[in-house]
Amino acid sequence: MANTKKGSLKATLTVSMSNFLEAGSIVAGAGGLTLWVNYLNLSDASVGLLGAVSANGFGSAVGAFIGGALVDKYGRKFIYKYDLIVYMIGVLLIALSMNFGMLLTGYIVTGIAVGAAIPAAWTYIAEEAPAKNRAAHVGYGQLAWSIGPAVMLFLAVLLAPLGLLGSRIIFGMLFVIALITWVMQQQISESAVWVDQKKEDAKLENKGKKVSIKELFTIKANRTAIILVMGIYFFWNLVAGVMGYFMPYIYQVVGGLSSAHANLLQGTLWVFTILSTFFVFIKLGDKVNRKLLFGIGAVMGIVAWAILTFGSMGMTELLLFIILWGVAAGFGAQAFYGLWAGELFKTQYRAMVQGLMFGSVRIGVGLISLVVPAMITFLGFKVAGMVMIAFLIIHLIIGLVLAPETRGKTLKEIEEERYGKEDKIIEEEEFNV
């Protein structure tokens, strides 16, 4: 049993390296954004387009739609044969960019690779995790997601004297780390849950019975789960997505900070997220009522944005903001998205529905990224901040109303509790048809 747990954690950490690279690429782009703006003389529209098509927006949406379907059909490990190869091409294009076309293409390619890996990562981690430590294992994925931005932002500060060359070096480092990670990921085993489910599917097909994607809309348990998981993540990510790509830009344009100080501030925010992820979500996620944890984090995020929006963006307000938001993000909507999206859907379409939801969320982030620079320029930051607060309030309400209690239950137990036995599922599907 100990060896099984050790192997499971090792696989979790290996898969989580994709999260490090994915979040790292988003923030590496953000950390060097003003350098590219100056180098290429980019307009607000061009800046918005980069954010929209990147790993923060439409690029990752396309990848998620594709990756989710492939992972359910061919296995969780399948995506790791090819995804980081595409990622390496993308970051290398960015590192070597000499014009806007190369930069834009690099962002799109990297974004597709990031999106394709997300459904696989969260699904694999949830399926391989022990029932009583599932939040902890999902938390390690979130921890890697948080470490990536922190490392990239502090590197941006360290390499700031080099100007744009420093940004190019960071993307070159992402290439090297991705190559090492790709080698490691070739050694992981396929998800045992997926393998077992494929055997059950074959038996059902021999009897003329087949699980249909229509169940996502005909079964109430699925509809409720989609409203919960996508609801909290969509509205929270409209804020977090803007922050992930534009926050150093906002610190500089609105707050008057230098590029180095902006990256240092945002890097410190991610340090608080790392600490919170470990000491709150990993340590308490399997022990404390999850609705309570979610609610506390959501309220802290709202308070953080209220301070930033209605304050003067002086150093006191900025420090309060990075502490409150940084801590809240460690056990916020993304951590719970990774957990609940892995728990609340059947194995046959667990990754596909994650791809659909994540892709839809990234489309939303892509759309808002198109207008954020212009919104700040023409309407002012206070208006933009109030829009962010409204999004956060909506996500809080959805989470408090619909959050389930699944601590300590196996995925099979959760599935039977939510869907009933297989014959009941078939009866309900036939009734709805």
Side-chain angles (χ1 to χ4, degrees):
M1 185 69 173
N3 289 335
T4 301
K5 288 183 178 180
K6 185 177 180 181
S8 172
L9 183 58
K10 181 180 178 181
T12 293
L13 295 176
T14 301
V15 169
S16 295
M17 279 302 298
S18 286
N19 288 354
F20 172 93
L21 290 163
E22 290 147 12
S25 66
I26 295 172
V27 176
L33 184 59
T34 54
L35 298 172
W36 286 108
V37 169
N38 295 331
Y39 176 66
L40 298 173
N41 194 27
L42 302 180
S43 65
D44 281 349
S46 295
V47 173
L49 182 61
L50 284 173
V53 303
S54 69
N56 209 36
F58 299 138
S60 62
V62 172
F65 291 142
I66 296 170
L70 292 176
V71 168
D72 275 336
K73 186 172 183 178
Y74 298 110
R76 313 320 191 196
K77 185 181 176 180
F78 171 81
I79 205 73
Y80 297 118
K81 292 181 180 178
Y82 311 104
D83 182 70
L84 284 181
I85 295 175
V86 177
Y87 178 93
M88 284 185 279
I89 293 172
V91 295
L92 193 60
L93 274 172
I94 296 172
L96 300 177
S97 287
M98 301 302 294
N99 53 58
F100 182 69
M102 280 186 72
L103 186 65
L104 185 66
T105 303
Y107 271 51
I108 293 171
V109 172
T110 304
I112 291 172
V114 167
I118 292 295
W122 293 121
T123 299
Y124 187 94
I125 291 170
E127 290 178 348
E128 289 293 289
K132 296 187 182 300
N133 292 292
R134 192 175 300 113
H137 277 240
V138 170
Y140 283 113
Q142 176 68 15
L143 190 69
W145 184 277
S146 304
I147 291 173
V151 171
M152 294 306 117
L153 286 164
F154 287 131
L155 277 174
V157 173
L158 185 65
L159 298 174
L162 298 178
L164 188 59
L165 177 60
S167 182
R168 295 183 189 276
I169 291 172
I170 288 172
F171 278 98
M173 292 177 64
L174 285 172
F175 176 91
V176 174
I177 297 171
L179 178 60
I180 296 170
T181 303
W182 180 82
V183 173
M184 293 169 57
Q185 289 180 347
Q186 304 319 297
Q187 301 170 30
I188 64 173
S189 301
E190 182 56 86
S191 163
V193 172
W194 182 82
V195 172
D196 291 342
Q197 187 60 60
K198 278 298 176 182
K199 294 176 182 177
E200 293 298 319
D201 289 347
K203 293 178 183 178
L204 286 175
E205 288 178 11
N206 289 335
K207 297 178 181 179
K209 302 171 183 177
K210 188 177 181 181
V211 174
S212 171
I213 196 66
K214 291 189 298 182
E215 288 186 8
L216 291 178
F217 309 101
T218 59
I219 295 180
K220 182 179 178 181
N222 283 333
R223 295 195 299 268
T224 302
I226 290 172
I227 293 171
L228 166 66
V229 179
M230 186 171 171
I232 63 168
Y233 196 47
F234 181 84
F235 289 103
W236 181 85
N237 214 260
L238 288 177
V239 180
V242 166
M243 289 183 62
Y245 191 77
F246 290 110
M247 210 62 208
Y249 178 80
I250 291 172
Y251 290 148
Q252 293 170 70
V253 174
V254 181
L257 275 64
S258 68
S259 176
H261 286 159
N263 287 331
L264 182 61
L265 194 67
Q266 193 68 355
T268 304
L269 182 152
W270 281 104
V271 170
F272 283 111
T273 301
I274 293 168
L275 295 172
S276 174
T277 301
F278 184 78
F279 289 106
V280 180
F281 195 77
I282 291 177
K283 294 296 185 181
L284 301 179
D286 293 298
K287 300 174 183 177
V288 176
N289 183 282
R290 289 170 177 171
K291 182 181 289 190
L292 176 63
L293 278 183
F294 172 84
I296 292 172
V299 170
M300 288 176 66
I302 293 170
V303 173
W305 266 91
I307 291 172
L308 193 69
T309 301
F310 300 109
S312 61
M313 206 175 280
M315 191 51 62
T316 300
E317 288 91 345
L318 289 173
L319 289 175
L320 285 172
F321 173 75
I322 66 168
I323 292 170
L324 285 169
W325 181 270
V327 172
F331 56 102
Q334 178 155 298
F336 280 101
Y337 166 84
L339 180 63
W340 287 332
E343 289 182 334
L344 303 182
F345 297 98
K346 293 169 66 176
T347 304
Q348 290 97 325
Y349 44 70
R350 181 173 290 130
M352 179 180 288
V353 71
Q354 284 197 55
L356 291 172
M357 291 189 298
F358 186 85
S360 299
V361 168
R362 287 305 182 182
I363 288 175
V365 175
L367 290 173
I368 199 170
S369 294
L370 286 171
V371 301
V372 165
M375 184 190 302
I376 294 172
T377 298
F378 295 107
L379 299 179
F381 178 72
K382 185 170 288 188
V383 172
M386 288 190 289
V387 171
M388 300 297 117
I389 292 170
F391 290 153
L392 292 174
I393 291 173
I394 294 171
H395 110 282
L396 167 64
I397 294 171
I398 293 172
L400 292 182
V401 172
L402 296 177
E405 185 53 82
T406 51
R407 281 180 295 157
K409 299 175 183 177
T410 66
L411 293 180
K412 191 68 175 177
E413 289 170 342
I414 295 171
E415 186 172 320
E416 290 182 356
E417 183 180 284
R418 292 179 58 77
Y419 296 96
K421 298 293 184 180
E422 189 64 40
D423 56 344
K424 291 183 180 179
I425 297 174
I426 295 169
E427 289 172 6
E428 185 171 358
E429 181 182 357
E430 291 174 348
F431 175 81
N432 282 285
V433 171

